[in-house]
Amino acid sequence: MAASETAPPDNAPLGRTHRAVIASGAGRYADPWHPYPQTSAAIADLLRADGWDADVIDDADIALTQLVDADLLVVNAGDPWRNPDAAPAAAPAAAAGLAAALGRGIGVVATHSAVSSLRDYPDWISTIGGEWRSGLSWHPEIGDATVRAVAPGNVIVPADFTAFDECYTDLAVDPAVRVLAVHDLDGIAHPLVWTNETSRGRMPVRAVVSALGHDTRAYESPELRAVLARAARWAAHLAP
């Protein structure tokens, strides 16, 4: 168990303002199933309550060009390759912005469908350590979900909790990630929350994936909101 993930959480407000950029699903990152404006607002609210300066940008490609002074990138967006009206393309300025931010160790939080987003940016999947894979991944009907913590004492997911949500199933997850929480289906544990650390520059990139957060009903769970608040601090190197 990594010491960096097991120290007691710091519940005091952030000592100074830290900036978070939330790349929200719109344009080619929108889809008919996810209410990204509402869920991104919920994420921004919980971050602001913890002292963050949270900026929601409704275009993921533009968001990646706005990371120069950001401590955290949150991606809450959909799969651009499912949009038949938008040919896959990574804007050069956006690719450069993401690479530069990762190179200096920006924190990363990926929520729900972010595991199928930013597909035009090769650094994305390697950073978060997993993805929704067409033909493999799926989810049961949305409903009350039991999320089981599997790393006792972990600062991000310290205990089991429930949320009204979709439970992504059969995600393609890198075996090197540290799984923190799962849902159980037919005797199989499927990862829902995990961390991944990669070395790209002077500071390791910390990423937290929460495959939860389909709609605002999920964010009615105080435990899920707390998980994301702690994930943000840990990813941005603001918690040990």
Side-chain angles (χ1 to χ4, degrees):
M1 188 177 295
S4 66
E5 295 176 15
T6 57
D10 178 5
N11 293 318
L14 293 174
R16 66 178 180 84
T17 299
H18 295 270
R19 181 168 177 258
V21 170
I22 301 170
S24 186
R28 70 191 188 108
Y29 294 96
D31 62 45
W33 309 285
H34 299 97
Y36 294 115
Q38 289 76 29
T39 52
S40 292
I43 294 167
D45 286 346
L46 71 88
L47 291 177
R48 289 167 185 153
D50 198 35
W52 289 86
D53 175 12
D55 184 11
V56 178
I57 299 178
D58 290 327
D59 184 309
D61 298 312
I62 290 176
L64 299 182
T65 70
Q66 305 298 309
L67 302 177
V68 173
D69 60 347
D71 303 283
L72 181 71
L73 168 64
V74 180
V75 177
N76 182 50
D79 184 350
W81 290 4
R82 297 189 71 155
N83 184 344
D85 298 323
L98 178 61
L102 294 175
R104 62 178 173 78
I106 193 173
V108 173
V109 173
T111 62
H112 198 55
S113 59
V115 294
S116 65
S117 195
L118 299 188
R119 292 196 186 273
D120 305 318
Y121 300 87
D123 285 341
W124 179 243
I125 297 302
S126 62
T127 296
I128 64 173
E131 66 176 324
W132 174 286
R133 190 164 293 171
S134 297
L136 170 68
S137 306
W138 62 288
H139 62 77
E141 198 71 28
I142 193 169
D144 291 320
T146 298
V147 181
R148 181 167 61 89
V150 294
N154 177 268
V155 70
I156 298 172
V157 189
D160 300 352
F161 65 95
T162 60
F164 190 89
D165 214 336
E166 287 179 342
C167 287
Y168 280 2
T169 302
D170 290 328
L171 296 173
V173 179
D174 191 314
V177 310
R178 179 168 177 77
V179 177
L180 305 184
V182 301
H183 79 95
D184 297 296
L185 185 65
D186 298 331
I188 299 174
H190 295 273
L192 284 176
V193 183
W194 66 82
T195 61
N196 192 44
E197 292 192 66
T198 54
S199 297
R200 298 174 182 274
R202 66 178 185 270
M203 183 181 294
V205 175
R206 287 179 169 185
V208 183
V209 175
S210 167
L212 297 161
H214 173 76
D215 62 27
T216 54
R217 291 173 293 181
Y219 293 106
E220 292 173 3
S221 166
E223 292 87 358
L224 178 57
R225 294 196 304 271
V227 163
L228 289 179
R230 291 189 293 261
R233 288 193 180 205
W234 183 82
H237 296 268
L238 302 176

